[in-house]
Amino acid sequence: MTNQSFAGNRSLRTILTIVIALVLLITTFAGTAFAQTSDEYSVDITDGSRSIAVTTTETEPIEILKSAGITLSAGDKLDITDFKESEGGSIVVNRLSTIYVEFDGNITAYQVYSHTIGDAFSQIGLSIKSNDQLNYSLNTEITDGMVIKINEAQYVTLEADGNETKYALTDGTVADLIKTAGVKLGKDDYTEPSLDTKLEKDLVVKVKRVEYKTETATETVEYKTIKIKDNTIEEGKTKLLKDGENGEAKVTYSVKYVNGKKKEKTEVSREDTKFVTDKEVAVGTKTKEQAAKEAVKSNGVKSAKGYKVGQVIEGRYSHYCACAVCNGNSRGVTSSGKKISNGMENPYYVACNWLPLGTVISVDGTLYTVADRGGSGLSRKGRIDIFTPEGHSECYKLGVGSCTIEIVRLGW
């Protein structure tokens, strides 16, 4: 009995020793683990579109990023405004990217710290209109070296019913634009330019509303002047035969209005309410030559020396003056007794031997009186010498030539 009790006590002490050792070991491990856990904290990392939450004991942002597998490149920046060492918060990675913006055929390079195209445009001050077209959406994430193309919105303008509206340019014609705008055209309405015109940048399309109205007016009908030729009146003179008086008429028109403005009218009917009386005027056709011939007093002689009144002869003329060389003397007395002198008012005399003195002839439309005789050369039919009061030099200047002679009167 005594031996068994001793052995049992020894065994119990061994077990207690082992239990105590285990308790001490567990306590030490738990204390170490608790100490380690109490040093860790959480950090939220934003890298572009990526968001990463990490638990770390690191205190330097660079080391925290490395632990998350994030590598920085030259030019990249960190935003640690919301990060507190050993406490946590957030770290934002701002990547430096080069983007190329193509606008109106030109490409410009920009370096930006932005996550999306929209952010980048805000950073560099590019404004995008609502209808501008891009090859990426504004929410697209920036990648280094990307090319962003901007096609500026182009417009056409529609003017219709007092309103002016701009529409983004699309393929098509004016007819397509009218349809898009919901504008209805009446049977007489039209557009400028026409409906089949192709749409192009800055084109202005105008809708023309057409309306026809019937209008009636009383109008004055002006009289006409009727001219009647009269060979008893000299050229350039007229004689009133009958005075004119205006009439009146009731006229109905179809009037075309375009956008409310009168453009043209077409006569539909006419009813005379007062008849017009036309004016009649006699217009003289008698030439000055005819008038001059008629002014010559007739002596009743119809023929003489083989010549007749009204006879036309092809002749030849020369000129002479009142000097002794031309006239044979300086007395200035013609064969008919008419006096001549240089410088006098032109008396329109001729010298010839083949017609009676006092005979009146028309030389190319000008009337002359045979008032003088001359040498034998003037005896030939049609040969005349025209008196020239301007003097000897003028005679040479006028010279000689052919003419048409008409006998108006024979003798005095």
Side-chain angles (χ1 to χ4, degrees), residues 226-233 241 281-286:
I226 299 174
K227 296 180 179 180
I228 302 171
K229 293 181 179 180
D230 190 332
N231 60 9
T232 66
I233 303 174
L241 301 177
V281 176
V283 179
T285 59
K286 183 189 294 185

Side-chain angles (χ1 to χ4, degrees), residues 18-84:
I18 294 172
V19 171
I20 291 170
L22 287 173
V23 170
L24 291 174
L25 179 61
I26 291 170
T27 301
T28 300
F29 177 78
T32 302
F34 177 77
Q36 288 178 348
T37 300
S38 63
D39 289 339
E40 291 182 337
Y41 60 97
S42 296
V43 179
D44 294 323
I45 302 173
T46 300
D47 183 9
S49 60
R50 292 193 303 163
S51 293
I52 304 172
V54 297
T55 300
T56 182
T57 59
E58 299 289 347
T59 58
E60 292 297 326
I62 296 295
E63 297 301 324
I64 295 173
L65 293 179
K66 286 182 180 179
S67 66
I70 297 175
T71 304
L72 298 179
S73 300
D76 292 346
K77 295 181 179 180
L78 295 181
D79 182 356
I80 56 174
T81 304
D82 295 328
F83 170 75
K84 289 186 178 181

Side-chain angles (χ1 to χ4, degrees), residues 108-140:
T108 304
Y110 297 95
Q111 287 192 318
V112 296
Y113 289 98
S114 302
H115 299 306
T116 66
I117 292 177
D119 294 338
F121 282 3
S122 296
Q123 180 184 333
I124 62 181
L126 275 180
S127 178
I128 302 300
K129 299 176 184 177
S130 60
N131 287 311
D132 289 344
Q133 297 178 347
L134 281 71
N135 57 338
Y136 297 101
S137 71
L138 293 177
N139 294 324
T140 302

